[in-house]
Amino acid sequence: DALAAMMSAECRYVDSCGHWIDGRDNVLLATRRFFALESGYRINEKSMVLHDGDVLVRGSVTADDPALTQDTLWLGRVERGEV
């Protein structure tokens, strides 16, 4: 799985409401379950900025559920080659 290969075992996913999931296995499980419920979810990258290990992606989301469709930002941190 390409996503799992680049994730740190100690990663943390934080959503836009401030809720979080700790650990690669938990994040992958939640991600797979989400995509099973919303198979039309797509991230459309418009720009990406890299700075001192941080990655900021600006873009939009499209989805079958209109409530999920929005412009948004994602922030990732890369350490030792892992997110």
Side-chain angles (χ1 to χ4, degrees), residues 38-81:
E38 182 54 67
S39 61
Y41 188 88
R42 299 289 181 271
I43 295 172
N44 308 296
E45 172 198 332
K46 292 183 184 169
S47 66
M48 184 183 309
V49 177
L50 307 171
H51 180 70
D52 290 335
D54 290 337
V55 181
L56 182 65
V57 179
R58 183 176 65 87
S60 62
V61 169
T62 55
D64 296 333
D65 181 349
L68 299 174
T69 301
Q70 61 185 341
D71 289 336
T72 192
L73 293 170
W74 297 272
L75 174 65
R77 178 156 296 136
V78 178
E79 294 178 358
R80 299 177 308 279

Side-chain angles (χ1 to χ4, degrees), residues 1 3-5 7 23-33:
D1 192 42
L3 182 59
M7 292 173 68
R24 176 180 46 223
D25 293 341
N26 294 330
V27 171
L28 289 170
L29 178 63
T31 302
R32 288 183 180 119
R33 287 183 176 172

